[in-house]
Amino acid sequence: MIGVIKYAVLTAVALIWVYPFVWMVSASLKTNNEIFADKLSLIPQAVQWDNYVRAWKNANFSQYFVNTIHITFFTVVIVLIVTMMMGYALGRFRFPGKRAVMGVIAASMFIPMGFNLIPVFRLIKNMGLMNSRWGVILAQVGSLNVVFVMMFASSFAQIPRELHEAALIDGCGFLRIFLQIMVPLSKPIIGSVVIMQTIWSWSEFLLPLVLTLNSASLRTLAVGLYSLKGEIMLDWTGLAAGAAIALLPIIVVFVFLQKYFVDGISGAVKG
């Protein structure tokens, strides 16, 4: 009986949690008048696929989609490589000032992103990368999430040192041990980092807005959604369709990597 009640409560909570997303998809298939006429209804009177066509073509979402994929892919790759190597150094080796480095990394977690916006803007501008995809990529990479470093450090620290010593005896060098032993053993953490960084890069709004302010062709999906807001009226159905288009890739990535995400988070917590 207790189990039935538990699953009933969890099901109710899940439905409440999912409802806004389902309502958004439903709204993307309605007319503007229909949204306001029956706000809670999930079934459209007539499916309006034109909303997706309008968002994709008229609002230039096709170009925004390409920009977002490009920026997200390279950001995730660079962040993954850098945080993995930092975590390996911090988790496996002892060196002078290690505690100080860990303290600085941990303290940087409490610095709000808004405080870094002006220095990042000036740095990207001085590098001549304003209004470019690589300017946005480097700006996002520069704000590396230190949680990833801690996750990798914790994961690498749990690997038995006997495995490392055996590899040294067999003649493996630093790079070979890292690539052939440490990286395969940290797949769950890699999956978690890929999912979280993909979500953050894909939905990042402030940096792409500021760094591509004078180039509409370089906008990302998040910034493109904002452009659907007119001065006089708001295209609600177009906005809902654009949001559905923007969320679909994130859902696909999470579905395929959710096992690694759960294993990575549980492993990091144990560490």
Side-chain angles (χ1 to χ4, degrees):
M1 185 63 182
I2 297 178
V4 174
I5 295 175
K6 180 178 68 174
Y7 283 113
V9 172
L10 291 176
T11 301
V13 172
L15 291 175
I16 294 173
W17 188 268
V18 173
Y19 178 81
F21 173 75
V22 177
W23 184 91
M24 179 194 70
V25 175
S26 173
S28 69
L29 299 173
K30 297 179 179 180
T31 63
N32 280 318
N33 292 334
E34 189 178 351
I35 290 177
F36 294 103
D38 194 354
K39 299 179 181 179
L40 297 179
S41 174
L42 297 178
I43 302 176
Q45 296 176 1
V47 177
Q48 305 291 326
W49 294 110
D50 290 344
N51 296 332
Y52 284 89
V53 175
R54 186 170 70 256
W56 185 259
K57 292 184 178 180
N58 298 351
N60 202 25
F61 261 50
S62 56
Q63 182 61 47
Y64 299 160
F65 198 85
V66 172
N67 294 337
T68 308
I69 291 177
H70 184 277
I71 292 171
T72 300
F73 175 78
F74 285 102
T75 300
V76 170
V77 170
I78 297 173
V79 167
L80 181 62
I81 293 173
V82 174
T83 55
M84 192 186 306
M85 297 182 70
M86 290 177 64
Y88 181 53
L90 293 172
R92 299 295 300 180
F93 300 99
R94 296 185 179 92
F95 53 87
K98 178 179 176 178
R99 290 189 176 182
V101 172
M102 294 287 286
V104 171
I105 291 176
S108 65
M109 295 174 59
F110 301 97
I111 301 177
M113 182 58 200
F115 286 10
N116 300 329
L117 184 59
I118 295 178
V120 168
F121 176 83
R122 292 181 62 87
L123 180 61
I124 296 299
K125 184 177 181 180
N126 292 337
M127 293 173 65
L129 294 175
M130 284 292 296
N131 298 308
S132 70
R133 291 174 178 172
W134 279 105
V136 179
I137 292 170
L138 293 180
Q140 292 189 12
V141 170
S143 57
L144 288 173
N145 195 310
V146 297
V147 174
F148 300 159
V149 178
M150 299 297 187
M151 290 172 61
F152 276 119
S154 175
S155 175
F156 289 133
Q158 296 178 57
I159 298 175
R161 293 197 173 273
E162 291 78 9
L163 189 62
H164 186 275
E165 294 170 356
L168 289 175
I169 294 174
D170 290 340
C172 295
F174 175 88
L175 187 60
R176 188 176 178 185
I177 293 175
F178 176 70
L179 293 177
Q180 296 187 357
I181 298 177
M182 300 299 171
V183 173
L185 291 175
S186 61
K187 284 183 179 179
I189 305 296
I190 293 174
S192 300
V193 171
V194 169
I195 288 178
M196 289 189 285
Q197 185 60 50
T198 298
I199 292 173
W200 291 334
S201 297
W202 192 272
S203 58
E204 176 65 38
F205 174 77
L206 187 58
L207 283 174
L209 174 66
V210 173
L211 298 178
T212 62
L213 201 58
N214 298 324
S215 182
S217 62
L218 294 176
R219 288 173 177 168
T220 61
L221 285 171
V223 180
L225 282 173
Y226 180 75
S227 67
L228 289 175
K229 178 180 179 297
E231 294 183 2
I232 301 176
M233 62 178 296
L234 181 61
D235 183 3
W236 290 104
T237 56
L239 188 62
I245 293 172
L247 284 175
L248 180 61
I250 297 298
I251 295 173
V252 172
V253 170
F254 184 81
V255 168
F256 280 99
L257 296 178
Q258 61 179 329
K259 178 180 180 297
Y260 293 110
F261 178 76
V262 174
D263 292 344
I265 294 298
S266 60
V269 171
K270 289 179 183 177

